[in-house]
Every structure is written in C-alpha cells, then in structure tokens.
Amino acid sequence: MQPVSVWQWSPWGLLLCLLCSSCLGSPSPSMAPEKRAESQGLRFRLAGFPRKPFEGRVEIQRAGEWGTICDDDFTLQAAHVLCRELGFTEATGWTHSAKYGPGTGRIWLDNLSCSGTEKSVTECASRGWGNSDCTHDEDAGVICKDQRLPGFSDFNVIEVEHNLQVEEVRLRAAVGRGRRSLPVTEGLVEVKLPDGWSQVCEKGWSAHNSHVVCGMLGFPSEKRVNTAFYRKLRKRAAKASARRSKPLGRPITKLKAKPKPRVGRGPVKRLLAQRQQHSFGLHGVACVGTEAHLSLCSLEFYRANDTARCPGGAPAVVSCVPGPLYAASSGQKKQRQPKPQGEALVRLKGGAHPGEGRVEVLKAGTWGTVCDRKWDLLAASVVCRELGFGSAREALSGARMGQGMGAIHLSEVQCSGQEPSLWKCPHKNITAEDCSHSRDAGVRCNLPYTGVETKIRLSGGRSQHEGRVEVQIGGPGPLRWGLICGDDWGTLEAMVACRQLGLGYANHGLQETWYWDSGNVTEVVMSGVRCTGTELSLDQCAHHSTHIACKRTGTHFTAGVICSETASDLLLHSALVQETAYIEDRPLHMLYCAAEENCLARSARSANWPYGHRRLLRFSSQIHNLGRADFRPKAGRHSWVWHECHGHYHSMDIFTHYDILTPNGTKVAEGHKASFCLEDTECQEDVSKRYECANFGEQGITVGCWDLYRHDIDCQWIDITDVKPGNYILQVVINPNFEVAESDFTNNAMKCNCKYDGHRIWVHNCHIGDALSEEANRKFERYPGQTSNQII
C-alpha cells in the first residue's frame, strides 16, 4: 500500500495552496473539525500553528470563500459561540494579534459582539459580513474546552488520519560515550505524532529540511552530516543483527573473536537497538528552508497498515550548529556567526527568558525599535537566527515585550526568511508620525534544550515562584541536592537562578530563609556565588568549587528567591540632563539640610559655616519606567525613614549616583540621590498615575510613567567646588546597588561629555551607556581635548 499524502486528506489545504502564491510562507489550515451551519451555508474550522486540535485561528467559509475574524472588540462570549459552532462545549480562552499566524483571504467579521448565549454567530452584532478595517495581523483565535457536544456530526472528518500533525521534533544521538552533554546537536530525526514518537525516512531528505529542523530545535544553522560514517554504522549493525538471527548449535571452533570495529562497539550496539525499534511515521519531506515549523513543509504520513515503511530502512540524520551562547555547553568550538555589514546590529530587550524580547536595531550609532506593521514569523526568524538562536516560535506585536524609547527605525519589514540579517530584508524607513512605541515588535525564539532547569529547584515557598534554592551537584559518587550559602547573595545571583528555573526575573534575592525551613536537604554545597546577571545557570557564575566558606552557618542563612514573569526597567531621559545642566554658587547658610543628608563634598565639613558658598553642578533627572512591572522601593512604608530637616521620607537610601570622572575613569567629584519622593510625575496618554508621595502615600513609578527630580530640588546636584578646570565625563547611574530588580541593568548608566573652564560648564553628547555601538563609545572616550585636563 502506498503512503498517503497529507494534502490528499485536506482538499481545502490543496485549494488554498493553488490560490495562494505564498502558501509555504504562512501556516496552512490544518485538518481540524469543520461544521456546516445549514441555515446560513457557513462552515467553520480551526487553523494555524503551533496548536492543539481544540485551539487555533477561527476561519469561516462563506459563499465558497474562507476568511477570518478580526480581534477588535472580540470577547470570551464570542469565543463561546464559535467553539459551539465548531462542536465543542465551550471556550476556555481566546487570542488576538494572529497568535496562530495570519490567515489569508477575506476578513469576514469585525467588531463581533456576542452575549455568549447565541446559537449561531450570525445572531451576534458586527459591522456586517466582509466589512472590516483590519489586517490579518489582527486575526482572532479561540481555545475551546476539549469536550465535544453530544450528537455533533462533522461533515468533513475523513477517517482518523484527518487529525495527523507533527507536534514536536527531537534528535536522538546515535553515537557518543558516557553521559552526553546537552544540547544534542546531531542525531536521528524523530517527530512526535498523536500515537507517539516516530522516525523520518531519509529518502529525499535535503539541507533545507535540516535547516528547518535545526531552527525548531533552537540552532541557527545546520552542517553537513558524515553520511559515510552512519552508513558504516548501519552496515555493521546489520551484520550484528544477522549473526544474532543465525540458528544456535554451531561448532564452537567457528565462534572466533573478531577485531573491534573502528567506530567502536558502543555506537554499533546503540544503532542496532535503534534499528530494531525503527518506526517510520513520516516521509517525502520537502521544505523550502524558510519554514518556522516542519508542519509547514510538504510532507507525507504513513498509514498504520503500511508494509513497506522506508526503502533501505534508513532514518534521516541531522547535524546542527549551536549559537555562541550554547556552543561551550555543547562541547563544540564557538562558531563565527555572520555579522551584518556596517552598523547593522540587532538586539533583544525586555524579555524574561533567553531568546525573547523587544527587537531593537542600531542605525547611525543609535538604537531604535521596529514597528509591528507586517511583522511575521519570517522576519522574526531572521532576527532569531542572526542572534544565534533557532527559528522564531512567535512574532510578537503590540509592544508585548514593553515599549521602547527614542527612535523607531524600521517598519513594514518583509523578509523571505533567507536573509542573514534583518537589515537585508526590504523595509520602510519611517518618521515618528508613522508609528508609535505601542506597536513595537518582539520575538520569542526556539532555544536548544540544555537541561539546566533539572539541576535547580525551590523548596519551602508558598508558590512555585519562590523558595529556598537547592542545586544538584555531582561528584565521584551519585548526584545529590544541596543548599547555597546566603553570603553576598543578591539580585544578580537571584536573576540567574530564576532564569535557570524558567521562572523569568527575580523580584528578590534573599540571604535568610528561616521562614522556609522545610525538607530534608541541609548540606550547603555552594558558596561565594557571584554573577554578572547574564549567565544561563549558576554553574556559569563564579563560586567556590571545593572549599565551602560561609560566614553564617545553618540552613536559616541559605539563599532564596522570589521570581516573577515581569519586571520594571528604568531609563534616564539623557537629553534632559544635557538641556538643564548649569552651575550655581549656593551660600553655605542655605545648605544645612543638604549637609545633614550628606549631599556635599567632604571638604564642606571643614568650611567656615555659615559663611562662604559651594559650587554645584545642577540638572534635572527624568526617569522613565519602560518595563512590564511597576518600580517599587525595596522596603515598604513601615521601614521608611523620616527626615525632619527636609520634611520627607526616604524610601531608598541610594537611588542614583552622580559622578564626575576624568577621561581615564578617576572619580573627582560625586553625589548621590536618595529616594526622597518616588512618584508618577507624568504618564503616557493612556496610562493613569498610581503613586503619589503626598500624605505618606505609596511610592513607585508605574509602567509608562516617569518620575521627575527638577534641577532646583535639594541634592539634585554634584558638589564641584574642588574640581579643577578641564574636560571630564558626567556619569549618572540609576539603582546602582541593584536593590530593586529590573529586566535590564545595562541601560541604567548615562554618560555625558563635560567641559569646565572654572566659570562655565558645557555638557554635551549625553547618552545611555549601551545606547551607542562599541566603536562609538571608543570615540566618545577619546573626544578632542580629553587627553589634557587643562583649560583649552
């Protein structure tokens, strides 16, 4: 019996492919349940990927034409009606912004409004059939309860094969000795079908197929497989199998030991075992190479009763190249990733996990965002592969990873999927009027499986997001679990722990966990942990490897974390600093309160009070919260300190550092800003203020709002009385001690060029520490005149 093509089971999929020239670039409708509404001549189905049989993009056929529904005004009540149309009892949720991929054809319904009790979607209010101002980037989807309506009949179900689809892909290593390192980069391709894992026949397998598989597994590219090596393995495995099948009773003299195979007995045994377990479920795979998922390729499934599974019995083998972030853990040499020409650089910001975030691109030395118009999986996959990850799992729109600040460099990016960089894709250069940061594009990339999450766990917490940190270590003996010493454990270390656990960011890094005292694990197996905050696991942080040194012993003083999927992200408005900077000579008799709060240089202590003055560099400080969670002081109101002199509470001892540095980095003057009053001074148009300092109110900065310390407020300065004329660097660092968790600490520092002639000061070229490329920063550090610290 011949294998049956998946397209033979889906006549509508074949029809769409014939009508749509970009069929391979967008998900084809899967063979999900369809229903005919006899009174209206409508048919309904679920489409898109990745998804389960009871969820997907809603598509309606009307007058012989398939179309979608816009997500404007879409609600759970509308999802209930549509799920019943599809034969399910009810909806458990709904999706917007084409989560299951954009559809094609007409957008049949817009502003759909249902009460949830309607028997048909035709009874719901809308703008009318085919009347819509949406694009397919706004296609709505539903998530139905996996329970069918009694007596519901599907007019288009064709046997059980109707629901076949590739759910997951993995590589099973055929060679290797001992405990293999992760991630697995080479092996036999296996796909997960509804009845379990199956292998793929290698007949017709191409490099394009391997590229798609590697992308799904989190790798940016593939490399050529040594097919001769695997053929030799299969040949030896076949001989070994034949020897095993010979009848017993042969003369002992003929059972002579044979020399060991060159490839080693281990691989032969493993391949022999796998040969006996071959179960081919897929063949005829033909990918273009740009698909984000194997299900988008042309492929064929085997029927359950096929007898000729795969000519020659050879499974497909794939070898992938890991990105720089994962090359070391896989034991491979770091591969050189193709770099875009010029200043075409890309980065991700605001993501809670590796390989996800808001897409930002570098143009003319300035970072900016990408507008989500026409943003799709093809463009998102180009970004992911460019950054050393696999293909894109999701193309995010609507600033799902937080709003950026500053320029929006690109819009209407249209990639074929083969470009080495996002800058190589056709795009539109836009102005500020064309798009807003509420439409910043983002991505979620496929990542390699490293297994790091299995080597860490939390215990004793009230939820799965908090608890005492326990790590697994392996020595000469068996693996065992142990605790981490709480000494010096802070936000950066907690960030790495939460990332390794897959729980996002750290709200708090705790050095005492006596209130979580539970479990039988009492041994401290790690101490001296110091992280930069970017590591993928605690093993990559500096720590004591052999001798455990802990100042405070006992399980009460071990490390703990409280994790969160969201975090704040503070950013200083650097241009305002440049615009408002000036010098003021302030009399000493007006600085008693400032001296009490340590806002003056040390030499002020020996000044002739109340006579004389201090020279102050003053400027305004406007701090925005661009993250996805409110920024709150580390301590609650119960522990704030009241300062009688200024008549306010300090919610954070050190909120900002102000420094004057020489070109070589030597500090010549410093100031600091305690959180006198942290509140929403102003907000974006669609955001309401939540925090206000008056009447002992709650302090904080809401997402989309900013806090403003005006230049004329006490301590909003640097005392430069003792600074000699010359060229300097003005540096401002927000949240310098990492007391409050943020999604990104790299943008907390601002630098400005600063020229002081003894009477006046010029502040220029202010920028956030990571706002420029490395080359631009090098130019900044050696701008003309900085080699000499004298008046020019």
Side-chain angles (χ1 to χ4, degrees):
M1 182 176 294
Q2 294 299 319
V4 177
S5 168
V6 69
W7 300 113
Q8 293 173 347
W9 297 336
S10 179
W12 297 109
L14 180 58
L15 178 60
L16 279 176
C17 268
L18 292 174
L19 294 176
C20 178
S21 60
S22 61
C23 177
L24 289 173
S26 61
S28 59
S30 77
M31 294 67 64
E34 301 177 0
K35 178 193 171 185
R36 180 186 300 276
E38 297 181 3
S39 60
Q40 300 294 330
L42 302 178
R43 295 160 70 95
F44 298 82
R45 70 182 179 192
L46 295 174
F49 89 97
R51 65 179 190 83
K52 297 176 181 178
F54 48 85
E55 63 178 320
R57 180 178 63 249
V58 180
E59 296 193 350
I60 305 175
Q61 188 190 50
R62 185 174 188 268
E65 184 177 357
W66 285 100
T68 61
I69 301 175
C70 180
D71 60 12
D72 288 353
D73 297 333
F74 200 89
T75 62
L76 185 62
Q77 286 71 31
H80 283 311
V81 176
L82 288 165
C83 283
R84 288 197 295 270
E85 294 271 26
L86 289 157
F88 298 97
T89 56
E90 61 181 334
T92 60
W94 65 278
T95 65
H96 59 86
S97 303
K99 176 183 177 180
Y100 299 101
T104 57
R106 299 281 293 275
I107 298 179
W108 280 122
L109 294 173
D110 190 5
N111 298 112
L112 184 65
S113 178
C114 305
S115 67
T117 60
E118 293 86 353
K119 294 182 179 179
S120 171
V121 72
T122 57
E123 300 175 14
C124 299
S126 70
R127 297 181 61 169
W129 288 96
N131 186 9
S132 171
D133 59 359
C134 301
T135 68
H136 283 294
D137 290 332
E138 301 169 87
D139 284 344
V142 296
I143 305 168
C144 303
K145 185 176 182 179
D146 192 13
Q147 183 177 342
R148 306 292 290 182
L149 287 171
F152 181 86
S153 60
D154 259 326
F155 291 94
N156 297 293
V157 174
I158 304 176
E159 302 178 351
V160 69
E161 291 86 356
H162 188 77
N163 289 319
L164 278 178
Q165 59 179 337
V166 176
E167 299 178 11
E168 297 178 45
V169 174
R170 71 182 182 188
L171 295 182
R172 174 176 290 184
V175 296
R177 295 175 178 271
R179 188 178 297 171
R180 289 188 295 271
S181 61
L182 294 175
V184 177
T185 58
E186 182 173 309
L188 310 181
V189 182
E190 295 189 337
V191 295
K192 188 176 183 181
L193 302 177
D195 58 348
W197 289 95
S198 300
Q199 293 172 343
V200 182
C201 181
E202 73 168 353
K203 187 176 181 181
W205 190 264
S206 67
H208 292 317
N209 299 348
S210 298
H211 193 68
V212 174
V213 169
C214 289
M216 291 179 64
L217 295 172
F219 303 110
S221 59
E222 78 292 343
K223 65 179 180 180
R224 190 174 180 178
V225 176
N226 186 355
T227 54
F229 174 77
Y230 282 92
R231 280 198 298 268
K232 186 180 294 184
L233 277 181
R234 286 196 294 269
K235 186 176 179 180
R236 294 189 182 278
K239 288 182 179 179
S241 178
R243 287 197 301 270
R244 287 189 176 186
S245 62
K246 287 184 179 181
L248 299 176
R250 291 172 294 172
I252 296 179
T253 55
K254 292 188 177 182
L255 296 177
K256 295 182 179 180
K258 293 188 177 183
K260 295 181 179 180
R262 284 186 179 181
V263 295
R265 292 187 181 275
V268 172
K269 289 181 180 180
R270 277 188 289 277
L271 199 66
L272 177 59
Q274 291 169 0
R275 180 182 178 86
Q276 294 170 342
Q277 298 172 4
H278 281 338
S279 174
F280 294 101
L282 201 62
H283 74 114
V285 180
C287 301
V288 176
T290 59
E291 296 87 350
H293 197 280
L294 198 64
S295 293
L296 296 180
C297 302
S298 174
L299 46 84
E300 298 177 69
F301 294 98
Y302 285 102
R303 288 186 182 275
N305 58 353
D306 276 337
T307 54
R309 277 293 179 170
C310 182
V317 179
V318 166
S319 183
C320 303
V321 179
L325 196 60
Y326 301 94
S329 59
S330 65
Q332 298 192 16
K333 294 181 180 180
K334 290 189 176 182
Q335 304 291 327
R336 288 187 177 181
Q337 298 298 315
K339 293 184 178 179
Q341 297 179 359
E343 284 191 319
L345 297 176
V346 179
R347 69 183 183 186
L348 300 181
K349 288 288 185 178
H353 308 280
E356 71 173 27
R358 178 178 62 254
V359 179
E360 296 189 355
V361 293
L362 186 66
K363 181 179 180 181
T366 304
W367 286 100
T369 61
V370 178
C371 185
D372 64 6
R373 287 184 184 146
K374 298 186 178 180
W375 187 250
D376 59 12
L377 279 172
L378 290 175
S381 292
V382 170
V383 170
C384 289
R385 292 185 188 273
E386 182 178 0
L387 294 173
F389 303 106
S391 53
R393 185 160 48 93
E394 285 186 81
L396 304 173
S397 59
R400 294 266 300 280
M401 288 296 170
Q403 296 187 25
M405 187 175 175
I408 301 175
H409 287 326
L410 302 178
S411 181
E412 298 186 19
V413 180
Q414 294 180 283
C415 302
S416 67
Q418 298 175 338
E419 295 85 354
S421 170
L422 191 68
W423 283 97
K424 297 296 183 181
C425 301
H427 60 269
K428 179 181 178 183
N429 295 315
I430 64 174
T431 62
E433 292 76 21
D434 293 327
C435 197
S436 67
H437 283 295
S438 62
R439 300 194 61 177
D440 283 343
V443 297
R444 283 197 178 101
C445 306
N446 287 317
L447 305 178
Y449 175 71
T450 60
V452 294
E453 71 278 5
T454 63
K455 300 178 181 179
I456 187 172
R457 67 187 184 189
L458 301 181
S459 66
R462 296 163 296 179
S463 70
Q464 63 175 357
H465 288 84
E466 67 178 29
R468 176 179 292 155
V469 181
E470 298 180 1
V471 292
Q472 189 182 63
I473 64 169
L479 298 174
R480 68 187 193 277
W481 289 94
L483 304 172
I484 300 176
C485 178
D487 293 348
D488 301 321
W489 180 266
T491 302
L492 297 180
E493 291 72 32
M495 280 284 190
V496 176
C498 290
R499 182 181 300 118
Q500 184 176 354
L501 286 159
L503 298 178
Y505 305 109
N507 269 349
H508 299 287
L510 307 168
Q511 296 183 357
E512 297 183 18
T513 53
W514 50 268
Y515 38 82
W516 285 335
D517 190 12
S518 64
N520 299 321
V521 178
T522 58
E523 181 187 6
V524 175
V525 297
M526 188 179 289
S527 64
V529 181
R530 300 302 293 268
C531 304
T532 64
T534 60
E535 296 87 350
L536 296 179
S537 67
L538 291 174
D539 287 339
Q540 297 177 358
C541 300
H543 61 275
H544 298 152
S545 56
T546 53
H547 301 290
I548 305 302
C550 206
K551 298 176 184 177
R552 299 179 299 176
T553 59
T555 59
H556 288 184
F557 303 106
T558 53
V561 295
I562 300 176
C563 303
S564 173
E565 279 293 322
T566 59
S568 59
D569 184 21
L570 298 187
L571 185 69
L572 181 68
H573 184 24
S574 56
L576 185 64
V577 174
Q578 182 171 313
E579 295 166 3
T580 58
Y582 66 97
I583 287 178
E584 178 193 12
D585 289 334
R586 195 166 182 81
L588 279 172
H589 69 82
M590 300 178 67
L591 294 173
Y592 279 103
C593 285
E596 181 182 309
E597 295 192 4
N598 199 29
C599 295
L600 300 176
R602 293 180 181 177
S603 61
R605 300 174 185 173
S606 57
N608 187 22
W609 293 79
Y611 309 104
H613 68 274
R614 304 298 294 182
R615 176 158 288 185
L616 309 174
L617 170 58
R618 311 196 71 150
F619 50 88
S620 295
S621 176
Q622 183 174 300
I623 300 172
H624 295 246
N625 183 3
L626 302 181
R628 292 189 287 155
D630 296 349
F631 183 92
R632 300 297 310 280
K634 181 179 181 180
R637 284 190 294 182
H638 64 281
S639 60
W640 295 353
V641 178
W642 173 257
H643 282 250
E644 188 68 35
C645 192
H646 277 135
H648 56 224
Y649 286 94
H650 281 198
S651 58
M652 291 177 66
D653 290 335
I654 300 294
F655 179 57
T656 313
H657 276 169
Y658 304 141
D659 299 309
I660 297 291
L661 311 173
T662 63
N664 63 9
T666 303
K667 187 185 299 184
V668 295
E670 64 181 2
H672 76 277
K673 186 70 175 179
S675 179
F676 297 165
C677 175
L678 201 60
E679 66 179 1
D680 296 328
T681 307
E682 294 183 55
C683 300
Q684 298 170 1
E685 292 183 4
D686 56 342
V687 179
S688 300
K689 297 180 181 180
R690 297 182 58 189
Y691 301 106
E692 187 176 14
C693 299
N695 302 318
F696 195 39
E698 290 286 354
Q699 291 194 32
I701 308 177
T702 305
V703 176
C705 299
W706 53 90
D707 174 68
L708 176 64
Y709 281 109
R710 286 174 49 86
H711 58 84
D712 54 358
I713 296 177
D714 254 12
C715 292
Q716 184 58 38
W717 63 55
I718 303 177
D719 184 348
I720 61 171
T721 306
D722 306 320
V723 176
K724 298 178 181 180
N727 293 292
Y728 298 95
I729 295 173
L730 167 62
Q731 178 176 277
V732 179
V733 183
I734 308 168
N735 192 16
N737 299 329
F738 314 113
E739 290 188 10
V740 179
E742 296 184 50
S743 62
D744 185 7
F745 289 110
T746 63
N747 58 5
N748 280 25
M750 183 214 70
K751 294 181 180 179
C752 301
N753 291 131
C754 184
K755 181 180 179 180
Y756 175 49
D757 68 358
H759 305 284
R760 295 165 297 175
I761 197 161
W762 291 268
V763 175
H764 59 99
N765 195 23
C766 292
H767 67 276
I768 302 303
D770 70 341
L772 299 181
S773 62
E774 292 183 7
E775 179 61 26
N777 267 318
R778 284 193 290 270
K779 291 179 181 178
F780 169 84
E781 291 169 358
R782 58 173 188 267
Y783 75 97
Q786 274 206 335
T787 55
S788 173
N789 224 28
Q790 303 297 323
I791 299 176
I792 301 174

